Amino acid sequence: MIKISKRTTPNLAVALLCTAMLTACLQEPSSVQSQGDTIATPQRAETSGLSEEYSWLRKQQIAQVDYRLSVNLDSTSESFTGTVHADIQFEKILQQPLTIDFAGGTVKSLKVDGKETPFKYNGYFIAVASQHLPNRQHVITINYQHPYSNNGSGLHRFEDPRDGKVYMYTDFQPYDANRLFPHFDQPNLKARYTLDVTAPKDWVVISAEREGRVEKQGEKKHWFFPQSQKFSSYIFSLHAGPFHIWEDNADGVPLRLMARQSLAEYVKTEDWFTFTKQSFEFFQPYFEIDYPFKKYDQILVPDYNAGAMENVGSVTFNDSYVSRGEKTQAQRMRLANVIAHELAHQWFGNLVTMDWWDGLWLNESFATYMANLSLAENSEFTNTWENFYLGTKQWAYYSDQRPTTHAIQLPVENTDEAFTNFDGITYGKGGSVLKQLPYYLGKEEFRKGVSRYLKELSFQNSTLDDFISHLGKAAGVNLETWQQQWLYRAGLNTIEASFQCDDDRITNLTLTQTASEEYPTLREQRTQLGFYRMDGEGMKRYATLPVLYRGATTKVEDAQGLPCPQILYPNESDWAFVKVNLDSVTLKNMALHINAIEQPFARLMLWQSLFDSAYDAKLPLDEYISFVISNGAAEQDINAIRLNSRYLSYVYSYLNQIPIDDQRREKLLKAIEEFSWQQLQQASTASDQQKTWFELFAEVAHSKVALNNAKQLLVGEHEIDGLKLDPDMRWELIRLQNRYLFADYEQAITQELRKDHSDRAKLNAIAAEAIRPLPEVKEKWLQNLIHNRDEFKLSELRKATSNLFTDEQLPLFYSNSERIFSELDKINNEDSPELISTYTRIFPLMCSKEGAQQISDALEKKQQLKPMLVKALKNHRYTSERCTKMGQAMLDQKKG
């Protein structure tokens, strides 16, 4: 198998650098020295990745570059070969070596203007001495070889276990395009690409352009693609394989949808094309720019590390978006959302691109906001913003309360740091901040600013200041203060409303804003107040009031004279990005009347506030559980049901570790288990509610009675009206059996694999085995992860680590923890951020001071850990400390 973590070592003959160059590479000067009409640049450090400093200096060297790329693909080989011609115009005559990014491959030859030229290659980049580039324009030709990837980055190769067919796709963000071909892999060196590919005759080849011609060559075909428009290399692409293809068009733009043959029967093409065309219908008039590229392909691919990637004209999607059963409405909305997100990127990110990775948030935040706006304005989904609040917004809130929070706009020193910033701040908080900006500026003013920004900077690179200045000009507003408050400073604010009434009328209403000691910034934004009173049997909203608040207190004069509320929510309909503390009157009436509140969105936000109280250790967990079980059964809104189900699962995890007596613990765990089973049986047949409760039951079932119910569902001895188990739901029940070594848990895997030959089945079988609470199983998979990982695909390792130590298996983790922590040094030395991310999944919730201290010790002893490992460990420690506080709240309650 192809190695997934160790990069191919180049030949010593081309890897050895001269002593002088090695010495120079140890340091990276911080300034450019100009001498006449030449540019002196520092030598580049011999490490993986690319620093911002060096990328900026290289941008000063290169005025323009275009690439002609030839690639030879083979379905049976472990590597591919290629030739790239880089037509480069330099700003000035070079004085120092030129470096060309190319990680993990072999350089066979290099020519400058057709002449064989000496070069140095260290496995990370190629260096060409300045004396071999004496002019302002040269063509550099490189013949190379590179192994296929099986970790989802670079050019990934996948063999389908069902039919043996081979598929390939690329994934490059932020710095893996140089694993396809040698080039200058930084976003501000945009280029045009002319591609030709030799591949097996039954394959289709896909890239940014549609092929111009295809020539037969025996058992292969040669595909020729015309020169593309100018864009950054991280959104260039090359996909190939015997894909099943469906075609349509969006107002004249050719659309294709592709999936591997074994998955084609499950693809609901009507949804894919409908959601895509609706997104086109919204974005083109909104941006006032027609789709800027010539065609739009969407390719479903396996083993994918992310949800999707916005490659120009050939977007890749994780094929887990294809369900082997009926999708819930929430799953359909997630699909529509990701389709809209990637299409939005074709304008914002692809047409206009960030200058460097410190602008990643703007790309992702904008696509996040625009996708939801598109669904809200032009789709069947009427509760889009409720889903945004339930998912993206909560991700952002929790990320912003962690010790690893950061400003939305922050320096990114290198591409390793860029990878670390694909998080809840970059996507969630950034998208939420953009969501509240139209309320601040005006919706049409915001739209005009975006449109002008895209028009003026088409096919160029941009910075945050470019974007903000266009918004400010369109609205006639100076956004400097807003920019500083929201983009350059971290932390989450909290607001609380307080009010007094006389003769059943409000006489005074004040909003109080607070901030944490670490991040004391008080911000300005527009929110909306929602006022509720009982009217007959219902708690009805009788008024809303927009408010622009700032500073520590804001007196709301316009509220005076309104009827006195029984419930007052200070962020009605989720305008603002802020955490809410409920006043005492609202808390009392919410507890009495939550099911009487007629606005589903309001109930959703109040249910969230209830869990926030438990998460903040203000409300003991048993009181939280009691309230949800007593009131949650009557809740019919699917988003509120999803929210309560999610948090009951979290609470179940905490309870497994909180230091309370076992009798009390089991009583609470059993209450959650029985509630989930009851709701599953009582839910409407074939409904989204039914599937939601099934997922919770499969996660919290643990007693013999519940496990027997699960087994009977699996083998067909018990049926619930309307509940149809698709293959993936069956695997959830098999995983549950193995988690508790219940009944014929080993046979269950074997029997299911006879029916299900898919790659998903193989991954689920790994999960079901790894989750077994047996020392020998944990030892086996630790060996695989630490010593034998080259024998597995990254997707397989990820499945194992995610299931290796569940919350009730903490003793098994502790018996291996010294070894797991000691391996951090070796994992830290890997070049693959994907592997590092996979390893961090091995750490379970450690709800104790001892567990938190173990993480602190590791952080203190291992000072050289990469940002991704440091961030993951700090977040694990934070979660452990949170859980400990929640446990203490329960102990204090009992003492009281």
Side-chain angles (χ1 to χ4, degrees), residues 821 849-863 873 877 881:
F821 278 105
K849 292 180 181 179
E850 294 77 15
Q853 186 60 49
Q854 196 170 17
I855 297 174
S856 294
D857 291 343
L859 286 167
E860 185 176 344
K861 292 175 184 176
K862 302 178 186 299
Q863 296 292 324
L873 290 172
R877 180 175 62 187
E881 291 169 345

Side-chain angles (χ1 to χ4, degrees), residues 532-547:
Y532 292 81
R533 286 166 64 101
M534 287 297 293
D535 183 357
E537 297 296 317
M539 179 70 75
K540 295 186 177 180
R541 187 178 69 189
Y542 64 87
T544 58
L545 184 61
V547 177

